[in-house]
Amino acid sequence: MRTLVTTSGRSSTSCRGRCGTSSFHVALGAVLSLLFGLLLIVTVGWLASRTMRPYRWLAGVLAVVVLLAITDFDNNITAGLTDIPVAAMVTLTAALLCLRRLGRAQLPLVALAAALSVLTKPSALPALAGLGAAVLLGPRSGLRQRAAPALALALGVGGALLYDLDQARYVHQSLWAFLSGYTKSAGSDYYAHLADQIRGRVLLDGAWFGPDLRLLLVFAFVYAVLRMFISRHRLAVSIALPVAAIWSWLGPHLAGEHGIRVGILGTGNGTEQIAVLVVAASLLFALQAPADSVPDRLRLARLLVWAAPTFALWANGYVFETRALAPAFGRRSCF
């Protein structure tokens, strides 16, 4: 049973199989959703602080600020839907992978968090698959050591899927139909057609986390990909920043918006527009980043691998709903 007490009119409670009856409580749903939101904020800040230990407070604060600026996070933190909880649980799973001080309790807790992530919402599956692949990525010499946490992730996911399989059989559905929730009667053809119609425009627009974060998102992606082929940080920044700035205007234009004030030049009122341009200009400081704050290529590769399955699934079938990217909200790596 996937259950989250919901706010009025927007049910995210999915009660299948031998669940009995369920009920709704507006205030309790909002509080529960807010608590998951706070868990997500704390884990994102903590994970970010682990990536740059000499600047841990700065990294943590900046990560939280970016999270708070995500449009779907802001809109859904008290909505009672399952998107914020699944993002929080996936991020908690990643955080537990980094908490080696837990000793022997670490791997069982990782497995438990992974299982609860899947039971929260099936969209955790591609995120956890990417996380497991990211854990395994690295030098061959340390593969055996990295295999243990990856196995814990797999066991947690497997346990959750066995429960889902039992529930699917009880209601006479295939496991895929049970997990996806899309049957012929639920309008799967309509959603598939809708995704096909708008996929190109949405991908070109780039405002998947909100228009204010379009430039940061494009810059981060282009920079990470470039670093896979270019070892020099400053050269990667010098290429990624103008590409991100140009695409943040050109992408929305190609997606169908018209005029000069689109994309990075059309992000709201004067104050908001100035703030977005200031953030864009602040990326120039990355050219003079201290050596100990520059992410290494392995960490960037792991982040790309972690993000890839969630993004691919969203782009293929759920591009009409950006909150389906929620498992990517907390994408940080401490590996």
Side-chain angles (χ1 to χ4, degrees), residues 305-332:
V305 168
W306 185 5
T310 296
F311 179 81
L313 181 65
W314 170 77
N316 180 64
Y318 300 90
V319 71
F320 50 83
E321 188 63 86
T322 53
R323 63 185 177 88
L325 279 169
F329 285 179
R331 197 73 74 226
R332 295 293 184 274

Side-chain angles (χ1 to χ4, degrees), residues 11-73:
S11 172
S12 67
T13 301
S14 176
C15 189
R16 299 168 178 165
R18 300 159 224 175
C19 299
T21 60
S22 62
S23 59
F24 302 91
H25 193 289
V26 175
L28 182 57
V31 171
L32 186 58
S33 186
L34 178 61
L35 290 175
F36 276 110
L38 293 175
L39 174 62
L40 179 58
I41 289 171
V42 171
T43 50
V44 164
W46 184 82
L47 279 172
S49 70
R50 299 268 301 185
T51 62
M52 294 192 301
R53 300 208 173 188
Y55 314 97
R56 63 179 59 189
W57 286 106
L58 177 61
V61 169
L62 289 177
V64 169
V65 169
V66 171
L67 175 63
L68 294 175
I70 295 175
T71 300
D72 284 312
F73 178 82

Side-chain angles (χ1 to χ4, degrees), residues 244-279:
I246 293 170
W247 192 258
S248 294
W249 179 85
L250 182 61
H253 193 77
L254 294 175
E257 296 189 36
H258 302 288
I260 299 298
R261 289 212 62 196
V262 299
I264 192 175
L265 298 179
T267 54
N269 58 37
T271 302
E272 183 180 0
Q273 179 66 78
I274 291 172
V276 169
L277 293 177
V278 168
V279 170

Side-chain angles (χ1 to χ4, degrees), residues 19 22 108 113 117 163 182 188 210 217-218 222 240 261 278-279 302 309:
C19 299
S22 62
S117 299
Y163 174 82
Y182 286 153
S188 60
L217 183 62
V218 176
V222 174
R261 289 212 62 196
V278 168
V279 170
R302 284 171 169 168

